[in-house]
Amino acid sequence: MTDTELGNDIPVLTIDGPSGSGKGSVTQLVAGRLGWHILDSGALYRLTALAAERAQVSFDDGPSLAGIARNLSIEFLPSSPGEPVKVLLEGEDVTEAIRRETTGNNASKVAVLEEVRAALLQRQRDFRQAPGLVADGRDMGTVVFPDAPYKVFMIASAQARAERRHAQLKAQGEDVRIATLLREIEARDARDMGRKAAPLKAAEDAVTIDTTDLSIELVLEKVLSLID
Ligand code: C5P
């Protein structure tokens, strides 16, 4: 098959990094500016964790979890600007449920498993549609779209990420202490970076942006300048 038939001539911007580094917001803004599609790969791991929890499947049962990941019936519905994309699991709106802190932590447990990652690989590549894709995750530039022409790796201090997450959860009506979030972020970082399968790391050809002291507008400008 040629690159065109494979869709490899469709541009992809990969944005990888730890949770709270600002990837999600920047992905939405950049995709809005460019008119490109979005892949929120974290949502796929969150949906797998949520579906597993509901089916009472243990988070270390690789074969069952891979089956769940492969057969997830999901829809991402476009939203109005500034609103999160609506996510449906088996037709049910789970937008809020997948954003909960516990679902994020469970997602990082199922994401450790090679079978689960393999089950989600092609699903993620199918998001590569014209005119382009902004792919947000941990291994977008290293594993899922290694040939992407544009790659960003976003980082920020754990303290800054805990504070951002606190504000986000508060807006959702969840009040979790910053110290607790900091501990969870550090545990999740260790799990994401230390795992054997597709660990969180910058692709060799990625541009690293430290967002600790940058406004979202500045980060957006930096990312767009790579594409211009
Ligand atoms: O980005 P988000 O916080 O929604 O991701 C939830 C979890 O899913 C992460 O902590 C990580 O363990 C996992 N994940 C992953 N690979 C991706 C995206 C997310 O392992 N590409």
Side-chain angles (χ1 to χ4, degrees):
M1 271 211 259
T2 64
D3 273 2
T4 310
E5 282 163 335
L6 286 167
N8 287 357
D9 57 336
I10 297 169
V12 179
L13 162 65
T14 60
I15 306 189
D16 289 306
S19 43
S21 56
K23 291 173 302 149
S25 322
V26 172
T27 296
Q28 295 240 0
L29 291 170
V30 177
R33 284 282 192 92
L34 298 172
W36 288 8
H37 299 281
I38 292 179
L39 164 59
D40 173 1
S41 60
L44 298 180
Y45 289 94
R46 286 170 182 267
L47 284 160
T48 304
L50 185 66
E53 192 187 342
R54 290 181 170 181
Q56 299 189 333
V57 168
S58 146
F59 294 129
D60 57 9
D61 178 351
S64 303
L65 290 167
I68 288 178
R70 207 171 299 114
N71 298 312
L72 281 176
S73 155
I74 46 181
E75 273 177 273
F76 291 95
L77 301 181
S79 57
S80 21
E83 291 289 311
V85 171
K86 224 185 212 182
V87 186
L88 306 187
L89 173 63
E90 313 289 346
E92 180 194 336
D93 185 349
V94 293
T95 316
E96 243 178 73
I98 61 160
R99 292 291 145 219
R100 282 189 207 123
E101 208 44 27
T102 45
T103 315
N105 284 323
N106 292 339
S108 93
K109 290 179 191 158
V110 305
V112 166
L113 302 165
E114 183 71 70
E115 304 103 299
V116 172
R117 307 199 72 85
L120 291 176
L121 189 59
Q122 191 55 46
R123 268 191 118 116
Q124 297 176 81
R125 291 188 174 150
D126 291 343
F127 278 77
R128 190 172 195 166
Q129 304 275 346
L133 176 70
V134 185
D136 161 350
R138 304 290 188 294
D139 60 343
M140 299 295 99
T142 49
V143 175
V144 182
F145 303 107
D147 66 326
Y150 313 110
K151 296 184 184 179
V152 169
F153 193 72
M154 265 185 206
I155 54 171
S157 72
Q159 180 68 31
R161 293 187 284 131
E163 284 167 15
R164 288 174 191 167
R165 187 72 191 129
H166 179 73
Q168 231 175 28
L169 287 172
K170 213 161 174 190
Q172 282 170 217
E174 258 191 278
D175 201 4
V176 186
R177 291 179 54 230
I178 293 183
T180 309
L181 290 172
L182 188 58
R183 263 201 315 275
E184 283 175 3
I185 281 179
E186 284 168 346
R188 182 133 43 122
D189 282 358
R191 204 156 44 223
D192 288 352
M193 291 192 273
R195 69 183 175 217
K196 272 226 306 280
L200 168 65
K201 65 168 187 218
E204 273 176 24
D205 48 350
V207 174
T208 296
I209 302 178
D210 185 341
T211 69
T212 308
D213 298 313
L214 293 182
S215 66
I216 182 118
E217 292 78 15
L218 262 176
V219 179
L220 176 64
E221 236 173 75
K222 275 181 187 276
V223 174
L224 285 172
S225 74
L226 299 176
I227 293 173
D228 293 342

